[in-house]
Amino acid sequence: MRNLKILVFLLASTLVLNAQKAEAPDFTYDLGGKVEKMTLTSSGVMLIMHGKGLAGIKPGQDQLVFNFDDYGKVKEEEIFIVPNTPYVMVGQAGFGGIAGKQSVIDVVTGKRLFDTKANGWKAAGRPTLIMPENRLIVSGQRTAKEKYTQAVGIYDMANGNEIKLFKLKGSNSLTGKPSIIDGGVILPTYKGIYRIDMNTGAESWVVDLKNVAYVIPDDDGKSMFAVQGKGKNHVIHKINGSGSLLWGEGAKLKGVVSNFEVTPKGLAIVSDVADTGKGGLAKLAAAKAQSNISFLSAATGEDLWEKAPKTKGYVQHFYIMEDGILFGIGEGGINKISYEGTPLFKKPLKTGENIHTMALTKQGMIYITDSDANIINLDTGESIWNKPIKYKKAKSVTSTYDEAHARYLISTGEELISIDENNGDISTLATYKFNEKENPSSFEIRENGLLLSSSQNLMMLDFEGKELFHAYFKSPGQSTFAKIALGALAVASTAMAADASFRAGANRNYLGQYNQYGAQMQRTADMFSAIGTASFNEMAKRFKATAATENDQFILTKLDDGVSLVKVNKDSGEVGKNILLKDKKPTYEVDDFGGYLYYLANGTTVYAYNLVK
């Protein structure tokens, strides 16, 4: 009995020790203030907003890359992470709510490249980043030393040096987005559009156009198109390199311009008319809520099409092709029209709602919606298959191309559909049900099978659709879900199209190849390398690298010991690492590319765990 008691005591002690044992973090960061938010930037630096300022953590470094404590408590709305750059802008309101304090931080080097006070500004609006030139344009009011003059400054973001400072006359100030065209700074202001010569600082010309939102350069690199707001509509003007208005009162468009492409044949423009919210006769009299597609002469501004294509909804996809314009409507429908205004499809293609995918394949263009899919001949708009590919309206659509088996695979949330790429034969490869009413949010082809995954579930099927394993990890509860900023997800959410200033560096209206994620990452990496600064070069290396955790998925779950983050092998469903967080409502983020978990251990301390060792 005595020996049994000792054995029970030792066993209980072991269980207690095991239950309390938590893996030691690889790095510990004390922020010195209460952490308000952690956000993973596309550069790989974890941005930390805390009670005393703003800090950054680089993967694998034992010291903070920066920790600026002169901001005081930084609010989330005061931060703007510039998509696909190493830059973060901080704008804090001054007296009377005016944005008095603006700064720009290179989070990769940890350097503050611009600051209103340090650069002689009393107050300024959010700066404009011009890419790929890597220039920052600042507009606002100078300090008392310069008599609070309104001015515009240009800064080289490679080093933060001021290139030029232009002082505006009187009370004039910037109202639209500035640009740099043919060696001149184009400034949409209250009093008109100004061109300031970059070399001399002299005013080259001024055009009496007010309420201009932005300008777009023409193909000649000298003239430009100005997008002017007129109530709920936009007007397009053309200005030549000498500052002369060429189109009189301009080309009037219904709605607000959402897409503007300069093509060799003319200007392809999408303008969106919003729902007025009115009812009855007033609604009938109002403009229909939809996108309008216009094609204007770049020389005269006249509408080159006698009859614009009907959209009957909002343009969701818009692609410039060699022979014309291809577009898809969110409410359903795909069409293609030549630059001369003639339909290129025999008839508009009817599709289901919400077009998830439009991309090129070796057979033609594939589209996938909530309820149907097809591959069409881009010359005629006709299906290359004899039968339509329709399915029950999907709860969640993910898809991939299985090259080894010559088929397209679509997960609808409840079943896995296989489409033979040669004849369009459709079959249900598998049906499945995820726990906690989840639907697959990711779908990938692995060496041994097909992997469907969500927040709490992983399911591997063999290539015939037979289930190999289903790994499910109970969620700690709806209130304890934490945001996982996976690398691929972060890339998708900060696409080049997110910022108009980046359009010079990437064509957002390029119709890409289906399933070329790796090629897209390579193009992005090449663009970063072309900019040439140390920070962009470091980002290029990150985008070229294979994701550090490509063979694992990290799932927050509740185990006997408490809430944990488990590392689950995608090919076996087995748990390889279990990081006990000891927190009912953990705040954490996973850097999928860098292979680190960042966990807010208490109010002021962040732990980092190496997930690949």
Side-chain angles (χ1 to χ4, degrees):
M1 180 64 70
R2 181 173 177 274
N3 289 339
L4 181 60
K5 287 181 179 179
I6 292 173
L7 179 62
V8 171
F9 173 77
L10 291 175
L11 180 61
S13 299
T14 303
L15 291 173
V16 170
L17 287 173
N18 287 338
Q20 291 178 343
K21 185 178 179 181
E23 183 174 343
D26 294 280
F27 302 101
T28 300
Y29 307 95
D30 186 4
L31 280 305
K34 183 181 178 182
V35 174
E36 302 294 331
K37 186 173 178 61
M38 300 193 303
T39 301
L40 183 67
T41 67
S42 55
S43 65
V45 173
M46 184 64 68
L47 188 67
I48 312 288
M49 290 163 247
H50 60 81
K52 293 185 178 180
L54 197 66
I57 300 172
K58 252 187 181 181
Q61 290 192 2
D62 57 0
Q63 300 293 326
L64 295 170
V65 66
F66 62 87
N67 190 13
F68 298 114
D69 59 4
D70 55 336
Y71 289 110
K73 184 178 178 180
V74 178
K75 301 175 183 177
E76 185 177 354
E77 60 267 24
E78 296 172 336
I79 297 292
F80 174 60
I81 300 173
V82 185
N84 279 335
T85 75
Y87 308 127
V88 169
M89 297 182 181
V90 186
Q92 294 183 304
F95 181 75
I98 300 172
K101 187 174 183 178
Q102 298 282 351
S103 59
V104 181
I105 300 167
D106 181 332
V107 297
V108 174
T109 64
K111 294 180 180 178
R112 189 153 44 189
L113 297 175
F114 173 81
D115 181 79
T116 43
K117 185 177 180 180
N119 289 91
W121 297 85
K122 173 66 176 177
R126 178 192 286 174
T128 298
L129 181 68
I130 305 294
M131 298 300 292
E133 293 86 351
N134 205 22
R135 298 289 187 263
L136 190 76
I137 300 182
V138 179
S139 172
Q141 189 180 60
R142 300 294 287 175
T143 59
K145 184 179 179 181
E146 297 177 59
K147 300 180 180 179
Y148 303 115
T149 304
Q150 292 291 329
V152 174
I154 302 178
Y155 299 85
D156 183 350
M157 293 303 282
N159 48 35
N161 292 342
E162 184 178 276
I163 298 173
K164 287 287 181 181
L165 182 68
F166 309 111
K167 294 184 178 180
L168 303 178
K169 296 176 181 178
S171 60
N172 198 13
S173 62
L174 212 63
T175 57
K177 195 168 189 176
S179 303
I180 298 176
I181 299 174
D182 191 32
V185 184
I186 310 301
L187 306 174
T189 75
Y190 279 114
K191 297 184 178 181
I193 301 178
Y194 286 75
R195 181 189 188 275
I196 307 295
D197 189 279
M198 284 278 290
N199 295 318
T200 65
E203 179 185 300
S204 304
W205 45 256
V206 59
V207 176
D208 186 19
L209 274 182
K210 299 176 178 62
N211 200 27
V212 169
Y214 52 92
V215 297
I216 296 170
D218 197 358
D219 280 343
D220 63 8
K222 297 181 182 293
S223 54
M224 64 203 73
F225 304 99
V227 180
Q228 180 189 37
K230 281 286 181 76
K232 295 181 179 180
N233 301 313
H234 269 159
V235 180
I236 310 300
H237 299 269
K238 186 170 185 179
I239 306 169
N240 67 15
S242 302
S244 298
L245 270 173
L246 303 179
W247 293 353
E249 294 184 356
K252 298 178 182 179
L253 300 173
K254 285 185 178 180
V256 174
V257 173
S258 59
N259 210 317
F260 193 118
E261 291 294 322
V262 180
T263 79
K265 299 291 184 71
L267 308 178
I269 303 173
V270 178
S271 54
D272 298 330
V273 178
D275 192 339
T276 61
K278 296 178 180 178
L281 294 175
K283 183 172 184 177
L284 295 175
K288 188 175 182 180
Q290 64 178 21
S291 295
N292 297 317
I293 301 177
S294 306
F295 196 72
L296 309 181
S297 165
T300 66
E302 67 175 316
D303 194 333
L304 296 177
W305 291 344
E306 290 185 8
K307 188 176 181 181
K310 293 181 180 180
T311 59
K312 296 182 180 180
Y314 287 104
V315 172
Q316 188 178 20
H317 297 261
F318 190 71
Y319 303 111
I320 304 300
M321 314 291 287
E322 286 187 9
D323 55 348
I325 298 169
L326 176 72
F327 59 94
I329 306 300
E331 289 81 352
I334 295 173
N335 206 351
K336 189 179 182 185
I337 191 165
S338 76
Y339 294 119
E340 290 71 37
T342 56
L344 293 176
F345 288 174
K346 291 184 177 180
K347 59 181 179 180
L349 185 65
K350 293 182 179 180
T351 74
E353 294 182 358
N354 193 12
I355 305 173
H356 295 270
T357 299
M358 286 177 66
L360 297 174
T361 72
K362 57 187 177 183
Q363 295 97 350
M365 187 203 75
I366 189 171
Y367 75 82
I368 301 172
T369 79
D370 278 349
S371 57
D372 69 332
N374 214 332
I375 292 183
I376 63 170
N377 182 318
L378 272 178
D379 293 327
T380 64
E382 295 182 324
S383 172
I384 66 164
W385 298 320
N386 295 324
K387 58 184 86 62
I389 309 300
K390 294 186 179 294
Y391 39 85
K392 182 181 177 182
K393 187 172 181 179
K395 294 181 177 180
S396 174
V397 172
T398 55
S399 66
T400 191
Y401 173 54
D402 184 0
E403 185 175 12
H405 297 87
R407 61 188 178 180
Y408 297 94
L409 300 172
I410 301 174
S411 164
T412 67
E414 294 179 338
E415 65 175 331
L416 184 60
I417 295 171
S418 173
I419 306 170
D420 188 300
E421 71 171 341
N422 295 311
N423 56 30
D425 284 348
I426 182 171
S427 61
T428 297
L429 194 65
T431 57
Y432 44 82
K433 186 175 182 180
F434 276 12
N435 296 74
E436 301 192 27
K437 297 182 179 180
E438 286 191 335
N439 297 308
S441 56
S442 178
F443 184 17
E444 60 182 290
I445 296 178
R446 307 288 297 176
E447 185 177 345
N448 300 322
L450 311 170
L451 181 70
L452 295 162
S453 57
S454 62
S455 295
Q456 307 301 135
N457 293 263
L458 272 82
M459 179 179 287
M460 177 74 83
L461 309 173
D462 68 16
F463 292 107
E464 283 71 47
K466 181 182 178 182
E467 183 180 308
L468 297 178
F469 71 79
H470 179 189
Y472 162 63
F473 299 87
K474 179 179 173 60
S475 66
Q478 292 291 340
S479 62
T480 63
F481 279 134
K483 176 188 171 188
I484 306 177
L486 296 171
L489 217 56
V491 170
S493 65
T494 55
M496 297 303 164
D499 194 303
S501 66
F502 235 104
R503 287 172 59 186
N507 183 1
R508 66 187 180 130
N509 291 328
Y510 163 74
L511 185 65
Q513 293 287 332
Y514 185 65
N515 267 16
Q516 281 207 330
Y517 175 75
Q520 293 168 10
M521 293 302 97
Q522 182 64 50
R523 282 196 296 269
T524 303
D526 291 343
M527 187 184 72
F528 290 158
S529 296
I531 295 172
T533 69
S535 294
F536 275 102
N537 286 338
E538 193 167 322
M539 288 183 68
K541 291 177 183 178
R542 176 178 168 86
F543 274 67
K544 285 178 181 177
T546 303
T549 57
E550 66 172 341
N551 294 320
D552 303 289
Q553 180 166 326
F554 295 87
I555 297 178
L556 188 71
T557 186
K558 181 167 175 37
L559 301 177
D560 292 339
D561 291 344
V563 174
S564 298
L565 188 73
V566 293
K567 177 182 177 181
V568 185
N569 184 277
K570 291 181 178 180
D571 294 312
S572 66
E574 295 178 356
V575 175
K577 183 187 282 282
N578 175 12
I579 300 175
L580 182 60
L581 300 182
K582 286 190 172 182
D583 193 337
K584 291 183 178 180
K585 297 182 179 181
T587 299
Y588 73 98
E589 294 221 17
V590 173
D591 177 4
D592 197 42
F593 274 64
Y596 276 87
L597 161 70
Y598 299 95
Y599 165 54
L600 181 59
N602 56 47
T604 62
T605 304
V606 174
Y607 289 162
Y609 296 87
N610 186 337
L611 298 174
V612 295
K613 68 176 185 179

